[in-house]
């Protein structure tokens, strides 16, 4: 007898109003662990607003559950360790180095004013190598192109080692080769998980690649687990990592 997948995130009767205009109305959503969730829909449908509400970055009505626990009940440090965020058009101080930016992702794991320890340095080196930025670790952000800066921000999100990562247009400014590298890396992370629990990745902006644009490799297994959710033109489709080959 199969068991229901554990929900990494859930929303109950979630509503958001911005500038006196309803953007999301009574959204009910369940996002399982161990799957890559793509939120797709036309411009202005509320995809980014939904992600920000799930991350606790936008005031909302209703309830958001993180791993079965109300988001407001999570202590700040624990929530920052469990849930990582990568938003659109994020920036950093131009004189901050790539290495220091990635190290910011380790802050939820460090004591107040404590210096990075050996594990922090090991994690940062690993994610910078994964994002092909290790050789540029001492380079200031002001000397990076837009695509290189985005890769550094991706490295910071990975350095958190969170069970859940919310990403809004994560491949913006990346050229096609680096888009392919990032997609392969996320597939690997979703499949492997962290700390014995399989991770969830929730993003918008990759629909054409994740939901058919890439397509399966010849001879690759193509197993799909899709659960649609619709809200005012916004749809969420969940697919197994194995279906994105």
């Amino acid at each position: 007898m199969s068991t229901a997948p554990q929900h990494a995130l859930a929303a109950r009767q979630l509503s958001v109003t911005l500038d006196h205009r309803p953007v999301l109305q009574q959204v009910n959503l369940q996002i399982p662990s161990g799957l890559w969730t793509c939120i797709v829909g036309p411009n202005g449908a509320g995809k980014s607003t939904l992600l920000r509400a799930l991350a606790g970055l936008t005031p909302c009505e209703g309830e958001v559950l993180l791993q079965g626990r109300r988001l407001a009940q999570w202590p700040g440090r624990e929530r920052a360790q469990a849930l990582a965020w990568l938003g659109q058009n994020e920036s950093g101080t131009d004189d901050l180095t790539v290495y220091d930016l990635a190290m910011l992702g380790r802050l939820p794991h460090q004591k107040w004013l404590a210096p990075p320890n050996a594990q922090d340095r090991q994690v940062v080196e690993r994610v910078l190598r994964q994002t092909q930025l290790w050789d540029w670790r001492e380079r200031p952000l002001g000397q990076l192109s837009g695509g290189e800066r985005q890769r550094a921000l991706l490295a910071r999100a990975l350095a958190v080692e969170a069970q859940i990562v919310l990403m809004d247009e994560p491949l913006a400014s990346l050229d096609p080769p680096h888009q392919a590298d990032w997609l392969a890396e996320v597939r690997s992370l979703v499949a492997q998980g962290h700390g014995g629990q399989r991770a969830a990745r929730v993003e918008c902006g990759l629909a054409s690649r994740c939901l058919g644009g890439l397509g399966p490799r010849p001879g690759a297994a193509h197993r799909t687990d899709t659960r649609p959710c619709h809200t005012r033109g916004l749809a969420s489709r969940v697919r197994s990592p194995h279906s994105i080959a």
Side-chain angles (χ1 to χ4, degrees):
M1 181 177 179
S2 62
T3 58
Q6 179 182 358
H7 296 135
L9 275 171
R12 297 175 180 171
Q13 298 296 301
L14 185 68
S15 297
V16 176
T17 300
L18 300 176
D19 296 328
H20 307 290
R21 180 177 64 88
V23 179
L24 299 176
Q25 299 184 51
Q26 298 182 339
V27 176
N28 293 295
L29 180 67
Q30 294 177 334
I31 300 174
S33 297
L35 293 179
W36 186 351
T37 304
C38 299
I39 300 175
V40 299
N43 291 339
K47 303 183 298 296
S48 296
T49 300
L50 175 58
L51 283 184
R52 292 183 62 84
L54 292 174
L57 300 175
T58 293
C60 61
E61 297 179 0
E63 191 173 58
V64 175
L65 301 176
L66 172 60
Q67 296 178 347
R69 184 178 173 189
R70 292 186 63 183
L71 196 63
Q73 295 176 342
W74 281 77
R77 179 179 294 272
E78 292 182 17
R79 186 171 75 176
Q81 292 174 352
L83 178 64
W85 167 259
L86 176 60
Q88 287 190 57
N89 303 318
E90 291 194 2
S91 61
T93 305
D94 284 348
D95 58 357
L96 192 69
T97 67
V98 170
Y99 187 91
D100 289 339
L101 177 64
M103 186 60 73
L104 291 177
R106 300 301 300 165
L107 286 178
H109 301 276
Q110 299 169 359
K111 294 182 179 179
W112 178 248
L113 296 181
N117 58 28
Q119 182 179 0
D120 295 328
R121 291 188 290 270
Q122 181 181 12
V123 170
V124 168
E125 179 177 352
R126 172 172 53 80
V127 299
L128 288 178
R129 291 188 183 278
Q130 288 173 339
T131 53
Q132 302 179 33
L133 288 172
W134 179 247
D135 291 340
W136 296 345
R137 60 191 180 277
E138 300 299 331
R139 184 172 298 185
L141 296 182
Q143 296 181 11
L144 302 181
S145 67
E148 292 164 349
R149 185 184 291 249
Q150 184 70 1
R151 285 160 56 197
L153 291 168
L154 294 175
R156 184 199 64 187
L158 287 179
V160 181
E161 293 191 305
Q163 290 295 323
I164 302 163
V165 181
L166 299 178
M167 301 182 291
D168 191 0
E169 301 286 357
L171 299 189
S173 303
L174 291 184
D175 54 29
H178 288 124
Q179 288 182 7
D181 291 341
W182 175 241
L183 289 169
E185 179 58 33
V186 173
R187 282 197 295 264
S188 175
L189 290 172
V190 172
Q192 295 173 14
H194 301 287
Q197 181 180 10
R198 299 186 71 187
R201 298 290 186 271
V202 186
E203 54 75 31
C204 64
L206 297 179
S208 64
R209 299 169 180 86
C210 298
L211 301 182
L214 285 178
R217 290 190 301 267
H222 188 67
R223 177 166 56 85
T224 303
D225 182 11
T226 302
R227 299 175 179 83
C229 172
H230 300 277
T231 115
R232 288 194 63 195
L234 181 150
S236 169
R237 291 193 175 274
V238 182
R239 294 193 117 180
S240 154
H242 299 286
S243 70
I244 310 170

